[in-house]
Amino acid sequence: MQEGMHAVRRPPRGSPENREDDGTKTRKFTFHLGRFAARLINCRPENLHIGHPLTISLLLLILLVVFLLILDLSRPAVCIYSNAGSSLFSTGGDGLAFNFGSLGFPWCRSKQGKTVEWTTKDLLRGLEEFVPIYETRPIKNNMYGMGFDHSFGLWFMVRWLKPDLMIESGAFKGHSTWVLRQAMPDKPIISLSPRHPEKYLKKEPAYVDANCTYFAGKNFVDFGSVEWDKVLKKQGILDISQVLVFFDDHQSELKRLKQALKAGFRHLIFEDNYDTGTGDHYSLRQICDQSYIRGGGHSCFRDSDEARVRRKRKMLWEKAVDIDELCGEGEAWWGVRGNMRDDFNHSNKAITYAEHFQNSRFVESVLDVYWELPPVAGPSLTHQTRYDPARVPDPIIEDGRFGLFRRIGLSRLDTSVFNGYTQMVYVQISTSDS
């Protein structure tokens, strides 16, 4: 499997390396426009025909534009940064646009500061290739399963990493199995699922792969109970680092991380990496959410600025997290309302701040790479309502770029397929250095 990452830190958004000097261009434009206006003002009345109403209107309009541009340049620049990234999503009203993204979003820190090798340009090229593939999917209505964003993310990462074997925990109707097969047509797949996808074929479209080994239905074995050394030997896999494991089973991601580490797996993808206050299991994103300060670095006072911002977000976005969801009582840490859900949502253990802090330290000690899939496109293009734009990386296709959105073919898809984004994440792990 290609390692697919290198130790590089890209300059933050808004840095000199990543932006054009729009201020200089504006000043030049203002200067030339002002000089033109001055010429008009200094012209003789007989040349201007100053009594003509059209000429007077034109002169007043030019003076107004010059005044507004000078006024805009006189305002101080406002830069808002978070630890991991920043986002500015213009919503209007009471300065809310400048508050979006100011609180930042969770970011798991890797041991060596490595990141993935692929770039936004690679993602765009991948999108153009994947759209016609996605249109041939056998399961058109995959409600409660993966939508377009995560289908693309899984296909793209598998194509890039090129594993010799793919393991998926959680298959549902088989859509993710189909995506894996499109990415690597000739490689074996192992699928673990309490219910076999073939059971769905009786009532609705489903996908069963001929080159897949199923531990499903009556033969179901949970990921943590499989004797992986024997299974991999049977598959002819000699190097476990060439295996990719995909989790879409709604189990504690901390538990799955420990089980994968114990078995020796290095490359993992978690489909539902739920944000703080959402979801039905304990996710890496929740574990990494500003864990180094008591209360996670968030203000739990209802009259605080953060509480005010979060209340406004909640009014605009269904999945925004307000203070009541974010902060637990006493020693309780926020998570899924302060609890760690697991075992297919049958257990719901309360988590103290001390336990959460210990979990975050453990994750950091074994993490080589952490990369969250960005949304495919901005909310104005996809009409998504599930996630808070201020809590995710910048979309691959940013808001307003409808021409690119249409050219790639995304406008042909029903908008419902874009409403399943839950921060899918790729991680590479290894044993702790300590």
Side-chain angles (χ1 to χ4, degrees), residues 83-121:
N83 289 336
S86 61
S87 178
L88 190 63
F89 189 84
S90 180
T91 57
D94 198 24
L96 187 57
F98 289 101
N99 288 324
F100 265 83
S102 61
L103 304 178
F105 56 87
W107 193 261
C108 294
R109 302 193 303 178
S110 59
K111 290 184 290 185
Q112 305 297 332
K114 292 181 180 179
T115 185
V116 293
E117 187 178 76
W118 52 82
T119 65
T120 301
K121 289 184 179 179

Side-chain angles (χ1 to χ4, degrees), residues 136-193:
T136 67
R137 65 196 185 280
I139 306 169
K140 301 298 184 184
N141 180 9
N142 197 36
M143 186 178 294
Y144 309 117
M146 286 199 304
F148 180 83
D149 292 69
H150 291 188
S151 299
F152 165 70
L154 180 61
W155 175 87
F156 177 86
M157 287 185 277
V158 171
R159 280 284 296 265
W160 193 281
L161 296 169
K162 294 179 172 55
D164 290 335
L165 171 69
M166 299 164 284
I167 300 171
E168 64 171 352
S169 179
F172 192 31
K173 292 184 286 186
H175 175 76
S176 58
T177 317
W178 177 82
V179 171
L180 293 173
R181 179 56 65 221
Q182 305 314 300
M184 299 295 289
D186 302 321
K187 298 297 181 180
I189 301 172
I190 296 176
S191 181
L192 303 93
S193 193

Side-chain angles (χ1 to χ4, degrees), residues 27-41 62-63 66 69-70:
R27 286 176 174 83
K28 288 180 180 178
F29 174 71
T30 306
F31 173 74
H32 291 301
L33 189 61
R35 192 163 62 177
F36 174 67
R39 287 178 181 175
L40 289 179
I41 294 171
I62 293 172
L63 290 173
V66 172
L69 286 172
I70 293 173

Side-chain angles (χ1 to χ4, degrees), residues 44 68 114 292 305 314 372 421:
R44 295 179 179 180
L68 291 175
K114 292 181 180 179
Y292 292 89
D305 290 338
K314 192 72 173 177
E372 284 188 11
Y421 175 81

